[in-house]
Amino acid sequence: MATTRSQRTTRPSYASSAIALLAAVCAAGLTTTHPVQRTLVAIEALGVFVVLLSAVGRQRGHRLGGLSLLLAGGGVVGLALGLSTVFPAGLVERGALVSGMLGPVVLLLGLYPVRETLTRHFTGVGIALLVGAIVIRGWLQGIGQLQLLAAVALTLLAWDLAEQAVTLGRDVGRGARTVIVSLTHTAGSLLVGLFGVAVAAGIYGVPPSTLPLAALALLLAGTLVLGLALYLGHLEQAQNPVERL
Amino acid sequence: MTTIERTQRWRTAFVFVLVTSAAGVYLERPALLLSSAVALAYAAYPLVTPTPTVDLALSRTVTEETPAHGESVTVTVTATNTGTRTLPDLRLVDGVPTYLTVTDGTPRHTAALRPGASTTFEYAVDAKSGTHRFEPATAVVYDVSGGTRIRTEVEAGRDPEAEMERERETETETRGERETESGTGATDRLDCAVAVETLPTRRQTRRQTGRTAVDASGTGIEFYQTRAHQPGDPSNRIDWRRFARTGELTTVEFRAERLRTVVLCVDARASARRRKRPGEPDAVAYSIAAATELLRALLVAGERVGVAVVGDEFEWLAPDRGGHHRAEASQLLRTHREGSSGREERPGSTPKSASQSQSQSESGSQSETHSERIQQLLVRSQGAADVLLLSPLLDDFGVTATERLEAHGHPVTVLSPDVTTTETLGGELARVERRNRVRSLRERRVPVCDWTPGDPVDWQRATKNRPGTTGQRSEVGEDLLGVAEGRQEAAEGQSSDERGWS
């Protein structure tokens, strides 16, 4: 009894998981171009949250209610996914939609979790699917610039909160209240995302220069290398953790 | 100890930047290339967030510091951010004592704390016999980006109010009474004392004046008997009223009060460290809990008490009295509570149930060392001493020890915590074997208290409950009861006598 309970409590925490899934679903919604696609994502979102609710119910001892919610939510998600594979006309368009819609579902598999040891793999794959959808949409130029930026920000937010859910689960388990902590963390990450979107939109608003794309890419590469150098210096302390008595 | 580490959470953002910028350049989509700016902002996020400094004050209170066995105790923990920085993501795990299980709520808590702000959470534990120390709480703090993780341990009791209260208490109370209190102020432990209803029957005393009344005449304050006067009897012992009435000279004798020496012998061998089920205290922990309480009770009764612990090594504390001795003896007992491997033997890791004890498979060398230990006990408790043996009786050690000690003239009383179970077949076998040992000891007229942890320790009731053995034990019981009744009657008689004299 004691061991099963302790195993259960190291699972990803609910509050952060819910916010992560919300961010992922929103990102998926932002990568759509047609109202029908948006409806499909909304149906999927409903299913995803019903499944998460079933996890809450099962933990609180409502086995039957939890199971029925799980089945209902799973059915709704399956329906939305099935429709997404048949609805759009073009193969690439269809790929973008399916990839975007699979992202939150795989994330859910990680956070539910289907298997605790695979949580991080699932979240990684879920986020990668969302990135794939974003890249295809950016290539197709089907969505607006701001929409694309917001989708990127939300995808990263989903990743961050999924990680937060995992670490919270390891540290305090599912029994503890984590809403305040999750919201504080979300607020910080959301602000950074908004800042990034604002900066990118600002750069986009600058009148087109004669600078070729390659030069711009080099500039970005330079920034990236600088950032990496700083980051690695930051990480050095991880190899030699500071210990204070 | 505080550890700071980087979580590398935002490493993913760099991958993101690489993917989107590469795709943007390859597919010639400026919008995609620009979107990597958002990811870049996230990548820089942990670099610009300051590392919080963890300055926490923790106070812990319980609804009942001295609960009964099985009683539910609510523990309330308050953490205050005494630093100057906000802690955006604080995760606290309270150090619940090893043998206590949380029954309600969770000892894990999260909070975001501004400087000076505090957070409170509570959980319930079921008390078990013994003294349970709370361990320091573990605090994990992440910075707001989640890029830095600080792990530290926080001792409870830096609450200023509790500190003041403690000082006040220390002023009013004497040092002797407070010797067992630790100096942390707030609750750092639960004392679930074993209720001792009767002390074991006294069977042998030293010829020294003490406080234990014995069945013999001598100097004392309680009436014992009258007898015919013999030349040389002190004149103030002559019953002059009777002389006035009958003309016969009689001498009044008083009950002698003698000194008693008790050696508490705790069986703390590895084979005695059995428990009913994982997560529960083992037999040694229960024995120690009972021994601590018996030590206190016996010392209060004015006895000289020695302590012998038969564990991996034989440890001995010579019989003595006084506050210092009591502190020393309690310390000796406490160190054996969890044993040398107590830390690793967390619930669930190596659950040894009572059934796994193999009484017959003890190697020759082992039983040799055990008999050596008993020999040591005999040598060290030279002179008359009662031995109070605390053993779960899961192997033959208790019986052999009792035999040897009795053979050398040390009356033995046994207190045996019952940790056997009927849940498994092996457990049932262990239970039957143990019951047989208890019976064989009782047949030798050794008072055995078959103690179920949680019940009060009571030698008389333990025997009364078993009709089959009453006959065997009744003599000892009657002996004690007889003396007690005799004492009462004598006391009444004497007081009436006194009235008569005045």
Side-chain angles (χ1 to χ4, degrees):
Chain A
M1 173 66 193
T3 45
T4 52
R5 184 184 272 185
S6 71
Q7 274 166 8
R8 197 173 289 170
T9 51
T10 56
R11 293 173 173 188
S13 76
Y14 290 124
S16 293
S17 295
I19 303 172
L21 287 170
L22 185 69
V25 167
C26 288
L30 284 171
T31 57
T32 54
T33 49
H34 198 274
V36 180
Q37 295 182 4
R38 257 166 245 147
T39 316
L40 283 181
V41 173
I43 294 170
E44 185 203 25
L46 180 77
V48 163
F49 281 101
V50 168
V51 170
L52 192 67
L53 205 65
S54 81
V56 181
R58 287 180 78 159
Q59 199 204 355
R60 298 219 171 137
H62 310 292
R63 276 193 152 327
L64 207 65
L67 193 68
S68 49
L69 276 180
L70 178 66
L71 289 176
V76 171
V77 169
L79 181 77
L81 280 180
L83 284 174
S84 73
T85 54
V86 293
F87 169 65
L91 190 70
V92 182
E93 181 89 358
R94 194 180 294 173
L97 182 65
V98 171
S99 172
M101 285 186 66
L102 265 178
V105 176
V106 178
L107 196 64
L108 174 72
L109 294 181
L111 295 175
Y112 182 74
V114 173
R115 230 187 127 108
E116 218 177 306
T117 48
L118 296 178
T119 292
R120 283 210 157 111
H121 297 96
F122 274 121
T123 52
V125 171
I127 297 301
L129 284 167
L130 278 173
V131 174
I134 289 169
V135 169
I136 297 171
R137 285 299 178 196
W139 176 43
L140 293 177
Q141 290 181 315
I143 55 172
Q145 169 65 22
L146 215 58
Q147 212 176 331
L148 191 74
L149 291 178
V152 170
L154 282 172
T155 306
L156 275 162
L157 190 70
W159 159 260
D160 175 37
L161 279 152
E163 278 288 302
Q164 177 82 351
V166 171
T167 59
L168 270 173
R170 295 228 171 122
D171 285 337
V172 296
R174 277 189 165 173
R177 287 175 179 277
T178 54
V179 178
I180 301 290
V181 166
S182 302
L183 286 179
T184 318
H185 186 80
T186 311
S189 297
L190 203 60
L191 273 179
V192 174
L194 284 176
F195 170 76
V197 170
V199 168
I203 296 172
Y204 200 71
V206 172
S209 65
T210 50
L211 221 59
L213 193 64
L216 206 65
L218 269 177
L219 190 68
L220 188 73
T223 322
L224 193 66
V225 169
L226 179 69
L228 263 176
L230 282 172
Y231 194 73
L232 288 177
H234 192 66
L235 282 186
E236 229 164 62
Q237 290 172 57
Q239 262 85 50
N240 318 302
V242 186
E243 290 194 359
R244 285 184 297 198
L245 282 173
Chain B
M1 197 186 71
T2 308
T3 17
I4 302 178
E5 55 174 321
R6 309 289 175 201
T7 58
Q8 312 192 8
R9 184 186 290 187
W10 292 106
R11 210 167 37 177
T12 318
F14 280 101
V15 181
F16 214 102
V17 174
L18 285 171
V19 170
T20 46
S21 55
V25 171
Y26 184 72
L27 303 169
E28 296 189 342
R29 294 285 180 270
L32 216 48
L33 183 65
L34 260 179
S35 69
S36 55
V38 179
L40 211 55
Y42 275 114
Y45 186 24
L47 304 180
V48 295
T49 24
T51 305
T53 44
V54 186
D55 251 325
L56 279 174
L58 196 80
S59 77
R60 192 188 288 119
T61 52
V62 291
T63 46
E64 179 63 63
E65 279 188 46
T66 51
H69 181 91
E71 192 180 329
S72 182
V73 178
T74 306
V75 185
T76 311
V77 184
T78 306
T80 312
N81 181 6
T82 50
T84 50
R85 290 260 178 86
T86 300
L87 303 177
D89 188 349
L90 166 69
R91 299 156 189 199
L92 268 177
V93 182
D94 198 22
V96 183
T98 315
Y99 288 134
L100 297 186
T101 37
V102 177
T103 49
D104 189 27
T106 168
R108 292 149 182 268
H109 185 68
T110 63
L113 289 181
R114 269 194 221 98
S118 57
T119 178
T120 303
F121 64 101
E122 53 181 45
Y123 58 93
V125 290
D126 267 354
K128 306 229 173 74
S129 294
T131 303
H132 304 276
R133 263 168 204 289
F134 282 95
E135 282 153 36
T138 306
V140 176
V141 176
Y142 280 80
D143 68 354
V144 73
S145 72
T148 309
R149 180 181 199 265
I150 304 162
R151 189 178 187 281
T152 186
E153 289 192 340
V154 192
E155 286 268 8
R158 279 186 284 159
D159 189 24
E161 275 179 41
E163 201 96 324
M164 293 245 299
E165 204 169 300
R166 200 187 91 231
E167 273 169 28
R168 250 179 276 132
E169 269 176 33
T170 324
E171 278 166 25
T172 50
E173 284 184 49
T174 57
R175 276 198 78 75
E177 277 172 287
R178 291 201 38 96
E179 74 205 353
T180 49
E181 292 286 320
S182 70
T184 51
T187 313
D188 73 330
R189 62 183 185 175
L190 283 180
D191 256 324
C192 182
V194 176
V196 178
E197 290 205 345
T198 53
L199 288 175
T201 50
R202 139 212 61 70
R203 292 161 81 189
Q204 194 170 9
T205 52
R206 288 192 164 206
R207 291 205 148 270
Q208 282 174 345
T209 307
R211 282 167 60 180
T212 305
V214 294
D215 196 8
S217 69
T219 52
I221 52 168
E222 225 175 78
F223 176 80
Y224 183 63
Q225 65 176 6
T226 56
R227 61 169 169 81
H229 178 75
Q230 286 170 356
D233 281 348
S235 56
N236 61 352
R237 288 274 181 272
I238 294 171
D239 189 348
W240 293 108
R241 284 176 64 234
R242 180 182 283 246
F243 179 68
R245 205 161 55 234
T246 62
E248 285 171 26
L249 276 171
T250 47
T251 300
V252 179
E253 286 191 337
F254 294 97
R255 183 182 300 282
E257 290 187 340
R258 297 261 176 86
L259 188 65
R260 179 180 173 205
T261 301
V262 181
V263 175
L264 293 171
C265 177
V266 180
D267 174 10
R269 295 161 309 129
S271 54
R273 282 192 190 279
R274 308 289 162 188
R275 58 191 61 174
K276 224 169 203 166
R277 50 185 80 86
E280 292 219 349
D282 56 34
V284 177
Y286 281 130
S287 293
I288 298 274
T292 312
E293 200 51 37
L294 284 165
L295 173 79
R296 193 194 59 78
L298 287 167
L299 284 171
V300 164
E303 320 281 12
R304 298 173 78 239
V305 186
V307 176
V309 180
V310 183
D312 301 332
E313 284 164 29
F314 181 82
E315 295 203 48
W316 168 256
L317 192 67
D320 205 346
R321 284 187 286 196
H324 179 68
H325 178 69
R326 180 177 158 192
E328 249 183 311
S330 305
Q331 181 62 36
L332 173 64
L333 289 172
R334 198 154 49 223
T335 51
H336 284 85
R337 192 170 158 256
E338 284 175 15
S340 49
S341 59
R343 287 283 115 210
E344 296 102 75
E345 218 178 294
R346 285 253 168 194
S349 55
T350 50
K352 288 179 189 163
S353 65
S355 59
Q356 279 166 289
S357 162
Q358 290 164 327
S359 53
Q360 304 305 323
S361 69
E362 260 192 12
S363 63
S365 65
Q366 244 185 325
S367 57
E368 201 59 37
T369 52
H370 289 151
S371 52
E372 258 173 46
R373 281 167 187 166
I374 302 161
Q375 208 63 45
Q376 275 177 306
L377 180 66
L378 287 170
V379 171
R380 295 199 186 181
S381 60
Q382 76 272 60
D386 278 15
V387 176
L388 210 162
L389 180 69
L390 296 104
S391 168
L393 294 176
L394 293 170
D395 55 17
D396 284 331
F397 171 76
V399 180
T400 333
T402 309
E403 275 172 1
R404 275 173 177 254
L405 288 163
E406 290 262 352
H408 282 78
H410 295 280
V412 179
T413 312
V414 179
L415 173 65
S416 175
D418 185 5
V419 289
T420 57
T421 168
T422 48
E423 285 167 16
T424 58
L425 198 62
E428 256 180 276
L429 178 66
R431 167 166 284 209
V432 170
E433 283 182 342
R434 180 176 169 281
R435 204 184 295 150
N436 288 341
R437 286 190 195 101
V438 170
R439 190 169 299 151
S440 80
L441 283 174
R442 282 182 177 150
E443 276 165 10
R444 294 189 182 97
R445 294 170 64 180
V446 173
V448 181
C449 175
D450 187 355
W451 176 50
T452 310
D455 288 353
V457 173
D458 187 346
W459 270 268
Q460 286 171 46
R461 197 177 61 178
T463 27
K464 268 183 229 154
N465 287 349
R466 280 164 186 76
T469 50
T470 325
Q472 294 292 340
R473 273 278 291 111
S474 62
E475 285 175 49
V476 185
E478 272 169 23
D479 184 12
L480 177 88
L481 284 171
V483 171
E485 280 160 18
R487 275 178 72 177
Q488 215 164 8
E489 279 168 17
E492 280 162 16
Q494 194 198 18
S495 61
S496 66
D497 264 7
E498 272 171 354
R499 269 200 301 278
W501 289 337
S502 62

